Amino acid sequence: MTIGYLFRRLLSILLVLVIVTFAVFAITAVLPGNAAIMILGEYATPDAVAALEKQLHLDLPWYMQYSGWVSGVIHGDFGMSLRLSLPVSDVVGEAFVNSAVLAGTALVLVTIIAIPLGAIAAVSRGKLMDLLLAVFSYMGSALPEFVTATLLLVVFAAPKTGIFPAGGFTAPWESIPGFFSHVVLPAVTLGLVLMAHISRQVRSEMSEVLSSDFVRAARLKGLTEKRVIWRHALPNSLAPAVAVISLDIGYLLGGIIVVEEIFAWPGLGRLLIYALENRDLPVIQAVTLLLATVYALSNFLSDVIIAILDPRVRYA
Amino acid sequence: MSATHVNTHPPVKDKAVPFDAKAPRLAIRNYSLSYATSNGPVKALNNINLEIAPGETHGLVGESGSGKSSMAWSIMRYLPDNAIEKHGAIRLAGQELLEMSPRQMIDIRGQRISMVFQDPSTSLNPTMRIGDQITEVLMAHRGLTKAQARAEAEAALARTGITRPKEMLSRYPHEASGGEKQRVVIATAFACEPELIIFDEPTTALDILTARQILDLFNRLREETHVSALYISHDLGLVSRIADQVSVLHHGDLVEHGPVDEVFNNPQDSYTRRLISAVPHPDRWLGVKKPETKEPLLSLDAVSVRYSPLSFKEKVLKIKPDESEIFWGAKDVSLSVRPGELLGIVGESGSGKSTIAKALTGLNDFTGKVKFGDIEVNGRKQISRDYRRKVQIVFQHPDASLNPRQTIGTILSRPLHLYDVVPSDQIKDRIRELLELVRLPTEYADRYPHQLSGGEKQRVAIARAFAAEPDLVICDEVTAALDVSVQASVTELLVNLQKDTGTACIFITHDLNLIRQIAHRIAVMQHGKLVDLFDRDDADAADRHSYTRALLDAVPVQVSLGVNETEHENV
């Protein structure tokens, strides 16, 4: 991987983000109805609407509105939330940290569970263990989050027998046990589909690698089966799995909106729903832009990881 | 294990027991193997008896499906679950391998029996450094520390003629050439000083010159180490040069075995005889009569194919790229083909021989001038329909060039429709004629490609090319994927078609012995350039290009057949 490649890749991410700012801005600008009227509701007297339009710069031509917003974004100023009367950057920043903690936990959970599961399934191909894991993963990918979430709530958070709280949030830097008890159910809900998906992916990659010439060669060199599987086969199955995980980030970002709402997790997903319901334009814009940035960067990161895992991959 | 043993030795449980020095290194007795399938058991090996003395190289020869690979897996005790071993014994220095537990086999593999595989680019782990792939064997079997193993590995690589062994240790397989990789595999096989090494077609995937070097290395190491070797190959010419003893396998039966000279000079079995006569020999002319005219049918004038595309900057600013940075698939190739002639193009992989074929058939863009009769073409876009009809191509893999969802009849009807060769009500008859032309039963018209054997599929591909009634057929390695005996019959068919139709042919191959049997003139390509072009009779002339000479010298010519055997041998 050359410095030139990294530079060009980052440049293209920047280009994507510029396009996203257009899209985000256009969507909020072309939403039907006058935003000022929507916000003011029953208080929408012509004077009040005119005053709010001025405050929101809605009276300016679109390119002036756009450049004003973008220059603010570049300086870290996303404007003021219309409903919360707080700077958007503060509101979104806090929600982002909370969401990142949840998504990160889910992702770690997925990685440390799904990859070994996939490897085990591939090694015991055609046997009972493989079948059980297949059933698990088909169920995992067939059930939507709100169903798994409900099931988990009934089993683990019922009023009398529950061992986990049904919702809410404690930051890990406030109380580690409190954080864990709150994060388990949403993280598992979020991770289940991905676990199913990624373990299947690792299984199919791994079974292909297990029947490859170099694995046969490794066995015929007199290496133990343990070494053949963990040292020769698994590392060769990981790079494609990482590519799938990076595509799943998009799914994760969508899933977070549902899961946060169900478990009352104060993150970006909840904030986005709140902002949409209340026509809080600056917040909607900021959250959308942020999610796009996360997605672009995580794809970039996965390319870097793949290049590290597979020495043949050379970006130039 | 269901094997019943004819074992005269007490079962050996402890591997520290000294083995019988007088016993052959490897002894296979009455060994039979079959595979259970849904259609009942399929026989793979039938009552095999084979012995390899210490220091001896035993050639195991057979075509695909003969069971020669099954033999290797049986010795390595690496059989699939559906393998059934009916009876027999396989003994390594007197010890019965069929009785070994999987754990004991782990100690034997890589330490007492090791293996060298066909394709070094797939038998090395792509994500592991070469050094680690050698040291892991030394650490597992000889209990060396990492540092000791590294020093050993470096020495082992040096023994195989790798010039900078230390640097090679820290490389990944993709950073080494094919020949270097095979040296690494060989170094690994020799690392623990095994008693027996199984070579499974170790040079088949390599280029001519590299293959020759690997063979030389094999001969040197064999003399230095006195290892016993089982050398599996389909190439009789090669086996006749390196083995002491040879066994011929045919459909799982060992039809003939004995000392190499005896088997090749005086084969007893009819299959062996057939196999030997199918091996191309440069002095046995099979081709058609040399064309009278020297007027070219097709001529290339400074044809070049560029593989590095113009960069965005170069396209926009119209700047000329730096000449040294351009990758040319072919550069300034000028040659001609005469009507009715067979022109051979030889060279190693990447030399540009297929690139020329693609340029001539309009599959690759090119610069320069191609003249075909009255048609003059200066690039891909100028290639006309008429030209396409007159210049046909047959590819190496019929599996890839025949549409698996079309019947043979449909496949053959395409060019007939496309070029209006015959009126549409006669197409059916024409297909029948075409099948007869390539000596296939006419009822094959209703079959699908997967119902045909490899040789039959290639005949269909040839029939398709001739369906357009071309003036020139380009054959791109058409026999490379086929077994020796099938290869011989496909070659014969092509020559007969040439005789009957007077079509000219460009025959692209890496097999020098084969091309010298059929080509009137031979063009030699290297790194995209035409380095030599000569009449067949002048192959040994003094003014041959040094690269041509190196190629000719590198190819083993089969001993025997009453042909002067030292002819091409001296390097």
Side-chain angles (χ1 to χ4, degrees), chain B residues 371-409:
Chain B
K371 236 183 128 200
F372 181 77
D374 305 331
I375 312 171
E376 195 180 302
V377 188
N378 295 312
R380 189 170 71 92
K381 289 199 178 113
Q382 293 181 15
I383 287 184
S384 65
R385 197 181 161 81
D386 197 34
Y387 176 97
R388 282 181 196 276
R389 173 175 174 180
K390 292 292 178 197
V391 179
Q392 293 284 317
I393 185 166
V394 183
F395 295 100
Q396 174 172 2
H397 296 290
D399 282 321
S401 67
L402 301 181
N403 187 336
R405 301 185 52 163
Q406 291 178 347
T407 60
I408 304 303

Side-chain angles (χ1 to χ4, degrees), chain A residues 213-214 221 227 232 236 311, chain B residues 122 125 127 133 136 141 174:
Chain A
D213 281 0
F214 67 84
K221 274 153 83 177
R227 186 170 172 89
H232 282 268
N236 281 287
Chain B
T122 58
N125 186 337
T127 63
Q133 302 195 44
E136 64 179 354
H141 294 306
H174 70 276

Side-chain angles (χ1 to χ4, degrees), chain B residues 431-450:
Chain B
I431 289 170
R432 211 170 302 133
E433 284 168 28
L434 283 167
L435 285 170
E436 277 166 3
L437 196 66
V438 294
R439 276 174 244 138
L440 287 176
T442 47
E443 57 270 23
Y444 273 28
D446 299 324
R447 297 209 185 161
Y448 287 92
H450 70 91

Side-chain angles (χ1 to χ4, degrees), chain A residues 22-66:
Chain A
F22 267 114
V24 166
F25 186 80
I27 288 165
T28 48
V30 300
L31 276 177
N34 183 310
I37 296 173
M38 297 291 286
I39 292 162
L40 289 169
E42 55 187 296
Y43 305 106
T45 62
D47 283 355
V49 169
L52 189 60
E53 277 185 342
K54 202 163 176 56
Q55 188 202 330
L56 297 175
H57 305 300
L58 292 176
D59 52 339
L60 297 175
W62 70 269
Y63 53 88
M64 294 287 285
Q65 293 183 37
Y66 176 74

